[in-house]
Amino acid sequence: MLALMALVGCTKFDPWEDTGRGSHYSGGNNGGNGGNGGNNGGGTTPSGTVTLTERSDWKVVYKGRGIYTADGSNDTVENFNFTYTGTNYFIVRWTAREEEPSDLKTFFKEQVDALTDHFYEDTGNVFDKSQSVAFDLMIHGDYTMYMIEVTKARKLTGNYAGARITIVEDDASQAYLDWIGNYRFSDGEIGYDIEIGHAENNLLYYVWGWESGRAAMNQDMGEDWLFARYDPVRKVPVFYVQTIGEDNEADGSRFDKVFVGTWAESDGEKVDDKEGAALSYLEDDGADGWYLHPESVKFDNGALLTYKTMRFSSWSYKDNLWYHYNASVPWLYDYDTHNQMVFPLKVTPVTKAAGSFHGTPTLSGRRAQPRVHGTAKRRPVKED
């Protein structure tokens, strides 16, 4: 569901989660959403060769951070205005300043070639007029934001506009800083050593260590990092469903790599992959200390299911099936061969040796890209 703000036509875009599809410059759901809009035609020579023309009458203006309230989420967003005077369509793409493409025409063509046949029907991602657009949180740093014109036939016209922008980080609150450190997450039998690090003051953390150690049956995921959101009301980290990236099998078929929540039913384990859904939150249980508690998810048919655990997983588009890396066997309800942490989890601070801490993850490939909000559709719940 795409939320549209009245009067200004402001489309909200989703958080720093990128499927990793295609070029690492593309933002958006499945590695390529990011805004759309109209364009004027032209830009090609009679021979069909595209000539790039930077349009001075098109404008990209960063309006700063704000709180998005139209859908009730109260999320922190990055606000942009796009001025467009053309008669075709335009898409929005961005690059990190340190990763700007050396060949701009090739970069634009890659973005346009990735569009679907009916891209113009995707009113949340392709625009045909000036727009105010709210992207979800972007990690502080320098970026270049582009408007790229495209025809209805999915052809690059060569017309574009760009602007260099800087996202400035807020000052950290003490409540946000208090959670940076190392912790033992355990259900009493199995535990992970989790490191929580700074990503964006008062908004995001990096997290390492999930599915490491005993529960890593097939491969240890301890070096693969996640995001956790900082909840300013609860003043705690909140874990959520997120897409880590994508890859291809030997035959070229695609699969998405994700972090999901699971629950148990009598006929086997089920997986929910609604991107952006909260999985769990930390809460002080009084004298017993801090625990990680599960959230619940409500389906369109009214079913309410509560997550039992969180894990790394992958979705095969070829097989239409889930494949789980390591901590997914056996079923959650089979406690005789228990090898999967199950909520609630006791959270205890631990001390690590000097020099053993992770630094800021390398964002090469821009895994963490703003993504179109609400366009990720819940897939049917599948058994393993």
Side-chain angles (χ1 to χ4, degrees):
M1 149 186 96
L2 283 172
L4 299 177
M5 286 181 103
L7 302 180
V8 297
C10 180
T11 302
K12 185 187 174 214
F13 284 68
D14 225 10
W16 279 73
E17 305 162 11
D18 182 53
T19 62
R21 175 185 304 184
S23 169
H24 58 257
Y25 303 109
S26 57
N29 187 38
N30 290 334
N33 297 352
N36 352 25
N39 334 17
N40 55 12
T44 57
T45 66
S47 65
T49 302
V50 173
T51 301
L52 293 188
T53 302
E54 187 168 9
R55 297 294 301 263
S56 61
D57 54 333
W58 300 358
K59 302 295 183 185
V60 179
V61 180
Y62 175 54
K63 304 295 288 186
R65 283 183 171 166
I67 303 299
Y68 190 81
T69 60
D71 62 356
S73 65
N74 295 318
D75 287 337
T76 300
V77 295
E78 315 289 358
N79 294 300
F80 289 83
N81 286 345
F82 297 97
T83 300
Y84 175 70
T85 61
T87 58
N88 291 301
Y89 301 89
F90 73 89
I91 60 176
V92 175
R93 296 294 185 266
W94 49 88
T95 74
R97 190 75 53 80
E98 69 274 14
E99 295 182 352
E100 287 185 1
S102 58
D103 184 345
L104 202 57
K105 184 164 65 175
T106 297
F107 167 54
F108 288 170
K109 188 175 186 303
E110 289 173 348
Q111 306 311 305
V112 174
D113 287 347
L115 297 170
T116 66
D117 291 339
H118 303 290
F119 75 93
Y120 48 85
E121 297 173 358
D122 189 357
T123 56
N125 299 308
V126 179
F127 301 137
D128 60 2
K129 58 187 176 184
S130 298
Q131 296 283 330
S132 295
V133 180
F135 292 93
D136 237 43
L137 175 67
M138 297 170 70
I139 293 287
H140 59 280
D142 298 320
Y143 299 86
T144 302
M145 183 74 72
Y146 293 104
M147 299 168 62
I148 308 169
E149 188 174 52
V150 60
T151 69
K152 189 172 182 177
R154 291 189 301 155
K155 299 297 183 182
L156 179 68
T157 71
N159 293 317
Y160 76 98
R164 292 193 166 192
I165 64 170
T166 297
I167 307 294
V168 178
E169 186 174 26
D170 296 337
D171 293 334
S173 68
Q174 189 58 50
Y176 169 84
L177 294 174
D178 284 345
W179 281 103
I180 294 175
N182 291 269
Y183 301 86
R184 181 72 171 173
F185 283 54
S186 174
D187 65 0
E189 181 175 349
I190 292 177
Y192 302 140
D193 288 328
I194 302 295
E195 182 179 335
I196 298 176
H198 160 260
E200 189 75 6
N201 286 339
N202 308 331
L203 294 166
L204 279 180
Y205 297 101
Y206 294 120
V207 177
W208 296 266
W210 203 266
E211 290 193 0
S212 59
R214 174 183 169 185
M217 298 179 66
N218 297 322
Q219 67 184 83
D220 194 306
M221 301 297 292
E223 293 301 314
D224 205 299
W225 55 272
L226 305 166
F227 279 121
R229 295 192 183 105
Y230 174 72
D231 185 328
V233 176
R234 291 168 170 161
K235 292 183 169 51
V236 297
V238 173
F239 293 84
Y240 62 97
V241 175
Q242 55 197 276
T243 303
I244 298 169
E246 77 164 30
D247 208 339
N248 294 309
E249 302 284 5
D251 61 3
S253 61
R254 199 183 94 240
F255 63 91
D256 288 343
K257 297 186 288 186
V258 294
F259 186 68
V260 296
T262 67
W263 58 86
E265 293 186 348
S266 59
D267 60 346
E269 185 176 335
K270 304 291 185 177
V271 176
D272 172 72
D273 72 325
K274 182 178 184 296
E275 297 187 37
L279 291 175
S280 60
Y281 60 94
L282 282 155
E283 186 171 76
D284 189 349
D285 287 7
D288 203 24
W290 288 90
Y291 279 84
L292 191 67
H293 291 282
E295 297 279 13
S296 298
V297 60
K298 187 174 184 178
F299 286 87
D300 293 339
N301 63 4
L304 185 67
L305 295 169
T306 300
Y307 294 113
K308 298 297 184 184
T309 193
M310 306 182 298
R311 65 182 176 189
F312 290 100
S313 194
S314 65
W315 173 263
S316 168
Y317 287 85
K318 179 182 72 173
D319 299 334
N320 205 38
L321 288 172
W322 286 102
Y323 292 94
H324 305 297
Y325 292 125
N326 47 60
S328 60
V329 181
W331 305 111
L332 289 178
Y333 56 77
D334 184 357
Y335 291 100
D336 292 336
T337 52
H338 181 52
N339 64 359
Q340 172 78 58
M341 287 200 302
V342 179
F343 294 129
L345 305 178
K346 176 72 172 175
V347 179
T348 307
V350 297
T351 300
K352 292 186 73 174
S356 62
F357 294 87
H358 289 90
T360 300
T362 299
L363 294 184
S364 177
R366 304 307 290 181
R367 189 191 91 183
Q369 282 279 6
R371 174 177 74 74
V372 176
H373 176 75
T375 60
K377 305 300 183 184
R378 184 193 301 277
R379 300 190 187 100
V381 179
K382 297 289 184 181
E383 295 181 14
D384 279 354

